[in-house]
Amino acid sequence: IDDGISGSWTFDNYLRLISDVDSSFAGVVNVNSLWGYNMSLIIDEWNDVYKMGAAEGLLQFAGGSNIPAPDPGLYLIKADLKNLTYSHTAVSSLSHAGLNDSWDLSPMNETSVPGVFAASVTINAASEWGCKLYMNDNWDEFFGGADGALTYLGSGIVDDATISTGTYDLIANLCDASYVFLGNEVYITGLNDVWDFTSVVLAKTETGVYKGT
C-alpha cells in the first residue's frame, strides 16, 4: 500500500496468519492509498503477488489489477488465499470486555496515533477467561492475545492473572498487533551499568506518556 502522498509503495503493512488450513490472514491497516495495493507472502516480491480477481472481493494470483483501496481510514483487511477472497471492514471503535469477569463492552479511546487505543482499567481479580478487545461493538470481531501480541479471533488476554491488582492503562496498537498494561511508573535499568529499579523512575503524565530524569 502506498503512502497516499508520494505514491511510493511499501511492505510495512502486515496481515497475520489466522488459519493454515485455508491460508486465511487478517490485520488492521491505516489505509491512505492512491493506487490500490497487492498482497505478497514475501517482502520485496513484486511479481508473485495476489491482485484483484474478476470482481472486487475476489483475488487472483500473479495477474489482474491492483486491489482497489477503500477511502482513507483504519480497516480490518482479511484475505483467504485458498478461496481467493478478501474484504475490508472499517474500524470505527474498540472496546474491552472480560476484566473482573465483566462482559459489558467498555469503550477505549482512540489516540492521535492511527490504530492505537487506550483505556484506564482496574483489575480487582483475575478473570476466568481473560479479556478481549472488540471492534465496532461486534461480538464476532475481536482480538485476544498473549505476551503483548494481539491475535485476531484469539483466546482471551490473561495478563490479569500475573500482574498485581490495581489500575492500569491498557494500550492496544491494532496495526502492530500489540498491547500492554502500564502502571503509574516505568523503571529503567541498565543505564551506566546500574541494574536496579530505583535509579531511574519515570512517572506517568498522561495515558502512555512517562517523564523523569
Side-chain angles (χ1 to χ4, degrees):
I1 297 180
D2 64 87
D3 59 15
I5 300 172
S6 68
S8 299
W9 286 24
T10 72
F11 287 83
D12 297 335
N13 302 285
Y14 296 93
L15 309 186
R16 291 164 175 84
L17 183 67
I18 303 172
S19 170
D20 53 11
V21 175
D22 56 7
S23 295
S24 56
F25 296 78
V28 173
V29 178
N30 183 40
V31 176
N32 183 24
S33 174
L34 296 174
W35 313 115
Y37 65 96
N38 302 324
M39 297 183 183
S40 172
L41 294 173
I42 302 173
I43 291 177
D44 295 329
E45 173 59 61
W46 295 100
N47 298 313
D48 292 336
V49 298
Y50 291 86
K51 297 187 175 185
M52 190 180 78
E56 290 192 29
L58 301 178
L59 294 171
Q60 180 178 335
F61 181 69
S65 302
N66 293 340
I67 300 168
D71 293 336
L74 197 66
Y75 291 86
L76 173 71
I77 299 179
K78 293 190 280 190
D80 183 331
L81 301 188
K82 178 180 179 180
N83 296 300
L84 294 177
T85 61
Y86 73 91
S87 65
H88 302 133
T89 301
V91 179
S92 60
S93 66
L94 189 70
S95 302
H96 66 85
L99 291 174
N100 305 310
D101 279 328
S102 171
W103 289 95
D104 296 325
L105 289 174
S106 298
M108 300 181 69
N109 298 315
E110 189 170 5
T111 71
S112 60
V113 179
V116 177
F117 295 78
S120 178
V121 300
T122 298
I123 297 174
N124 297 319
S127 170
E128 182 177 0
W129 306 108
C131 72
K132 295 180 180 180
L133 309 181
Y134 293 88
M135 295 186 347
N136 303 341
D137 296 329
N138 186 340
W139 292 107
D140 295 324
E141 297 282 12
F142 64 86
F143 288 87
D147 300 324
L150 292 174
T151 303
Y152 179 65
L153 303 183
S155 300
I157 298 167
V158 294
D159 293 46
D160 57 342
T162 57
I163 60 178
S164 302
T165 57
T167 299
Y168 297 87
D169 287 332
L170 170 58
I171 301 176
N173 187 328
L174 297 185
C175 296
D176 288 346
S178 64
Y179 73 90
V180 66
F181 288 89
L182 294 176
N184 289 323
E185 294 178 328
V186 169
Y187 308 93
I188 299 177
T189 65
L191 290 178
N192 302 313
D193 283 330
V194 177
W195 295 89
D196 62 30
F197 290 92
T198 58
S199 297
V200 182
V201 180
L202 307 184
K204 175 183 169 184
T205 58
E206 57 183 286
T207 302
V209 178
Y210 295 78
K211 295 181 179 180
T213 57

